[in-house]
Amino acid sequence: MNIDLTDTTSSQINAALVRSRRATGTPAIGMVLTLVIVTDEGNHYDALKSAREASKEHPSRILVVVRRPGRSPRDRAIARLDAEVRLGGESGTGETVLLRLHGELASHSYSVVLPLLLPDAPVVVWWPEDAPEVPSEDLLGKLAQRRITDAAATEDPTATLELRSRTYAPGDTDLAWTRITPWRSMLAAALDQRHPVIASAEVEGEGYNPSGELLALWLAARLEVPVRRTLSEGPGITAVRLNTSEGDICLDRAHGSLAELAVPGQPDRHVALHRRSTAELLTEELRRLDPDPAYEQAIRHGVRRLGEEAATADPPPRKPRRGTTRKNAARESQDTGEAAPQPSPTEPENTTTPQEAG
């Protein structure tokens, strides 16, 4: 059943939901959460399709927020809400409400979504494409127990991961992390058995792959060994090698679906590591609504590593201003408390510094 509402309100949408449930003979609400999808007109179809697949395992009310602020001043000045209420059929086991916020209302999606949340049920917010810089401080993000982003959908995934690491809050997660769950499971199973001491590790994958970066951070945090990132043609992550004195523990996926696990002293075996769809990733994320400590450890390890690199790096040499004489430098050193530079006995006094020459 589909109900189209033009220039409507949240209360009218709630009334339409009640009418549609009665018309289909299901007055009771059997949904376990509210999934809020914040996207645009061009990407809402694929995101909604994935959410419907996930609702087969997690019956939920899906609220799709499509912001349409308008291009002209006249379009930006209006404030109108259009909605589509979908129940049954392609909507799966839950309810779907497609919200189109026009004009000035696009900046106030919080006030539209809040009355439509299921009472006493968890809230999950998913940004399939453009997520806010700090999801936990976004008004919609503050409503949610879990906030899902996707660094792989951004223009610079590596910079996005760095931003996520600096702005992490309990409840944040990323689909780039969800994509490496099979890799983490296989590696953890290989290390559950007796194995020699691991000296270093290597993660091989295509460039600008946030999943490869997160897997490297996770290994570095858990094993406390140096981890090297090497590039390959992909797709995605192609191999992980754990270097030991008895040989490499290698999980190699050369063809994108079937991987080979090699452990020293054991026969090689094949394991399934297919690339999962967005619907499968979303379904996995909805299975747990509490903070993910493994993701937090991996993402915060990236912050510590960047901080350690900055702390151990040599400070850049202080470049004297062009035209500054020794006498002026000595006068400046009295003001700053630094030692005045002394002329080298083997070099002329006015020798050009390497910084000025370069």
Side-chain angles (χ1 to χ4, degrees):
M1 173 179 289
N2 290 3
I3 301 176
D4 294 332
L5 301 173
T6 304
D7 198 5
T8 185
T9 63
S10 297
S11 60
Q12 292 175 353
I13 296 173
N14 268 320
L17 286 169
V18 174
R19 291 196 307 269
S20 61
R21 285 198 299 267
R22 289 176 178 173
T24 56
T26 55
I29 299 178
M31 289 160 287
V32 297
L33 58 90
T34 302
L35 175 62
V36 182
I37 306 175
V38 185
T39 182
D40 54 22
E41 196 70 55
N43 298 302
H44 84 277
Y45 176 81
D46 293 334
L48 184 55
K49 182 179 179 181
S50 300
R52 286 171 178 169
E53 290 294 323
S55 69
K56 295 178 180 178
E57 183 174 326
H58 310 281
S60 55
R61 174 176 289 180
I62 304 173
L63 305 178
V64 184
V65 179
V66 178
R67 297 186 175 117
R68 305 186 67 175
R71 297 180 179 179
S72 65
R74 178 180 299 177
D75 293 338
R76 290 192 294 268
I78 64 173
R80 190 179 82 248
L81 172 63
D82 298 335
E84 296 180 32
V85 178
R86 304 173 184 177
L87 190 65
E90 296 182 354
S91 298
T93 58
E95 301 171 342
T96 301
V97 181
L98 182 59
L99 305 169
R100 288 187 171 89
L101 284 62
H102 298 267
E104 188 179 356
L105 190 61
S107 303
H108 303 278
S109 54
Y110 170 87
S111 60
V112 177
V113 169
L114 183 60
L116 300 176
L117 301 178
L118 289 173
D120 302 324
V123 179
V124 179
V125 179
W126 174 32
W127 292 272
E129 296 290 335
D130 297 326
E133 290 189 359
V134 187
S136 60
E137 295 183 2
D138 184 79
L139 290 178
L140 288 177
K142 291 180 179 180
L143 296 173
Q145 281 75 29
R146 292 299 298 272
R147 296 169 292 274
I148 305 174
T149 56
D150 191 358
T154 60
E155 184 177 356
D156 191 343
T158 306
T160 302
L161 269 189
E162 182 180 351
L163 176 64
R164 295 286 171 258
S165 67
R166 298 186 186 278
T167 61
Y168 173 83
D172 290 354
T173 189
D174 198 283
L175 293 185
W177 170 257
T178 318
R179 291 184 180 96
I180 63 174
T181 299
W183 288 87
R184 295 189 296 118
S185 300
M186 292 298 175
L187 293 172
L191 297 181
D192 277 343
Q193 309 171 22
R194 179 189 173 276
H195 60 84
V197 177
I198 298 174
S200 62
E202 177 184 356
V203 176
E204 178 186 287
E206 59 185 347
Y208 295 98
N209 187 292
S211 297
E213 297 293 339
L214 283 173
L215 184 56
L217 289 174
W218 176 72
L219 288 172
R222 299 297 295 176
L223 301 178
E224 298 182 352
V225 297
V227 180
R228 184 177 61 177
R229 279 279 284 120
T230 58
L231 300 183
S232 68
E233 295 182 357
I237 303 171
T238 53
V240 175
R241 298 178 183 86
L242 307 179
N243 309 120
T244 71
S245 58
E246 299 180 7
D248 292 348
I249 300 174
C250 181
L251 183 59
D252 188 356
R253 185 182 67 178
H255 304 292
S257 59
L258 191 64
E260 184 179 47
L261 177 62
V263 180
Q266 299 182 17
D268 297 348
R269 52 186 181 271
H270 295 280
V271 294
L273 276 180
H274 69 281
R275 295 170 62 84
R276 297 182 296 170
S277 64
T278 305
E280 293 175 293
L281 301 176
L282 186 61
T283 301
E284 178 186 330
E285 281 299 335
L286 296 181
R287 289 180 189 144
R288 59 176 303 165
L289 299 178
D290 56 326
D292 189 346
Y295 173 70
E296 179 182 1
Q297 182 186 30
I299 204 74
R300 288 193 182 278
H301 182 80
V303 178
R304 290 197 302 270
R305 188 184 67 175
L306 291 174
E308 291 171 358
E309 291 176 355
T312 56
D314 294 333
R318 185 179 178 183
K319 178 181 178 180
R321 289 177 297 179
R322 189 176 300 275
T324 301
T325 62
R326 299 287 181 179
K327 186 180 299 184
N328 293 336
R331 187 179 300 112
E332 290 181 358
S333 66
Q334 294 178 359
D335 298 334
T336 59
E338 298 179 358
Q342 299 297 326
S344 173
T346 59
E347 296 180 359
E349 183 173 341
N350 292 328
T351 301
T352 305
T353 63
Q355 290 84 0
E356 293 175 347

